[in-house]
Amino acid sequence: MNSFLTRVDGRTPSKRQRTLVAGGAGFLGGHLCDKLIEDGHRVVCMDNFLTGCRSNVAHLFGHPLFTLIEHDIVAPLPDVGPIGQIYNLACAASPPKYQADPLHTFKSNVIGALNLLDLAGCNNARILQSSTSEIYGDPEISPQPENYRGNVNTVGPRSCYDEGKRAVETLFYEYHLQRGVRTKIARIFNTYGPRMSPSDGRVVSNFVVQALAGDAVTVFGDGSQTRSFCYISDMISGLMALMATPDTVCDPVNLGNPTEFTVLQLARSVIKTLKSPSRMRFVDLPVDDPKQRKPDISRAMQVLGWSPRVSLSEGLANTIPYFASCAKQDGLPMLVAE
């Protein structure tokens, strides 16, 4: 296989190589596969399609740089051939999805990570773990820097995901320290954009789908809890920039948009953008739902030279037509998305 140079965000050169994307048919995974192939990498997309969608990668079927393997990373991995780098994105990320089968969620994190770490070690490949802002739990400080240890409930409805991701970070730390595996850890904050599942239960998709239909927009609690919303293209560039860093960069790095919005502000913005007649309906806050979520991205800016570029208004303008097209395909009544 020919090996030649590319640049990630105009920065560090890295060899184009054979790349495994676990969870490659998911929201993040599908976009990452696109960008990797655009940059000339050979991509092996692995997904069990529990939450991933074939439609996210269907346009790549038949592409000479793309291979699809249907497989659950909890099971022993098939022979995938030589691999230069691995992105582990393989776990349901929205609460309704990962709470549907908590034991599988935890296994996907821990057993899946062990399988992929072993594969990385055998291939001397770099491996990037998609960790999460959820490891901070319901944070007591804001913004959240990487050295904040979090406030996580170990026995709540979100624990299977939160604690699973925290356990994976420990595994990555030990595999790097004890076995010299070339590890990267990205703590991903709320990300949105086209190809999100309309039914994934996350706040952006919920609000847009409800407002498109003219239904009541469901706000948990009083809507004063905050989130920071990162557009998908910014997140993908951050992940690739982290993968391209020297092997000495192995500690966790926050990736997210530090501009903070209340959930109420987001609801109003979606309704206003769509000129929807929707009103807001307030319901009880879910157990362990974090009150604040805002990343400190100082490390990403310093180490990666990365920061988000897409504003919430611009990102929503790019995302709403996608949800409108999904509703149209399903034959649902909706407002016209301008």
Side-chain angles (χ1 to χ4, degrees):
M1 181 177 67
N2 291 331
S3 181
F4 44 100
L5 295 180
T6 184
R7 298 185 73 84
V8 179
D9 277 348
R11 298 186 76 251
T12 309
S14 65
K15 291 181 179 180
R16 292 176 178 174
Q17 52 199 304
R18 201 159 180 268
T19 299
L20 173 64
V21 182
F27 166 50
L28 287 177
H31 284 280
L32 179 60
C33 288
D34 282 350
K35 183 58 179 170
L36 287 167
I37 286 174
E38 179 184 321
D39 284 0
H41 296 273
R42 294 185 176 275
V43 172
V44 178
C45 169
M46 184 176 291
D47 206 294
N48 64 358
F49 295 102
L50 189 64
T51 57
C53 297
R54 291 183 186 276
S55 59
N56 286 339
V57 291
H59 58 286
L60 297 174
F61 293 171
H63 195 289
L65 297 181
F66 182 78
T67 301
L68 175 65
I69 298 176
E70 186 170 350
H71 184 77
D72 190 331
I73 60 168
V74 170
L77 299 180
D79 182 5
V80 297
I83 292 293
Q85 55 186 16
I86 300 168
Y87 289 87
N88 182 18
L89 310 178
C91 183
S94 72
K97 300 291 187 181
Y98 67 66
Q99 290 172 10
D101 190 345
L103 292 177
H104 187 269
T105 296
F106 198 81
K107 289 178 181 178
S108 295
N109 280 309
V110 177
I111 299 175
L114 284 168
N115 287 337
L116 292 172
L117 283 163
D118 286 337
L119 179 66
C122 290
N123 284 269
N124 191 30
R126 286 182 178 174
I127 179 169
L128 184 148
Q129 168 64 27
S130 62
S131 190
T132 172
S133 59
E134 295 289 341
I135 67 103
Y136 298 122
D138 187 5
E140 298 166 316
I141 64 171
S142 188
Q144 294 86 53
E146 288 88 351
N147 62 3
Y148 175 55
R149 296 182 181 180
N151 177 35
V152 180
N153 181 5
T154 63
V155 290
R158 303 170 77 99
S159 303
C160 60
Y161 184 75
D162 300 1
E163 288 298 289
K165 292 291 189 180
R166 287 163 69 94
V168 172
E169 289 197 10
T170 301
L171 288 171
F172 268 60
Y173 170 77
E174 294 296 350
Y175 264 72
H176 175 76
L177 191 67
Q178 303 297 329
R179 301 187 182 182
V181 176
R182 305 160 70 196
T183 58
K184 311 288 178 185
I185 300 172
R187 288 182 180 163
I188 297 173
F189 283 66
N190 292 63
T191 307
Y192 70 101
R195 299 189 205 169
M196 290 182 77
S197 169
S199 62
D200 77 355
R202 282 182 276 194
V203 65
V204 171
S205 52
N206 278 355
F207 287 179
V208 172
V209 169
Q210 290 169 342
L212 274 170
D215 295 336
V217 170
T218 304
V219 176
F220 292 114
D222 61 4
S224 62
Q225 65 271 35
T226 66
R227 297 291 184 269
S228 302
F229 302 103
C230 187
Y231 188 65
I232 183 63
S233 61
D234 285 331
M235 183 57 63
I236 296 303
S237 68
L239 291 171
M240 293 181 69
L242 178 56
M243 180 65 91
T245 55
D247 292 347
T248 51
V249 179
C250 53
D251 291 331
V253 178
N254 285 339
L255 294 179
N257 194 319
T259 305
E260 193 174 20
F261 293 89
T262 67
V263 170
L264 198 58
Q265 285 176 312
L266 175 67
R268 287 171 175 161
S269 180
V270 169
I271 291 170
K272 181 179 179 181
T273 300
L274 279 167
K275 300 178 182 177
S276 171
S278 295
R279 296 181 178 274
M280 283 176 278
R281 180 171 68 93
F282 295 87
V283 299
D284 291 341
L285 201 64
V287 175
D288 295 332
D289 194 63
K291 308 301 187 300
Q292 280 188 307
R293 193 53 61 75
K294 177 181 178 179
D296 180 338
I297 63 167
S298 301
R299 189 159 193 261
M301 293 173 68
Q302 179 182 1
V303 176
L304 310 182
W306 176 89
S307 60
R309 300 176 181 178
V310 180
S311 68
L312 180 62
S313 58
E314 182 183 353
L316 286 176
N318 294 336
T319 302
I320 286 172
Y322 164 77
F323 284 113
S325 68
C326 290
K328 185 176 181 180
Q329 289 172 11
D330 292 338
L332 300 176
M334 62 175 182
L335 302 172
V336 175
E338 296 181 357

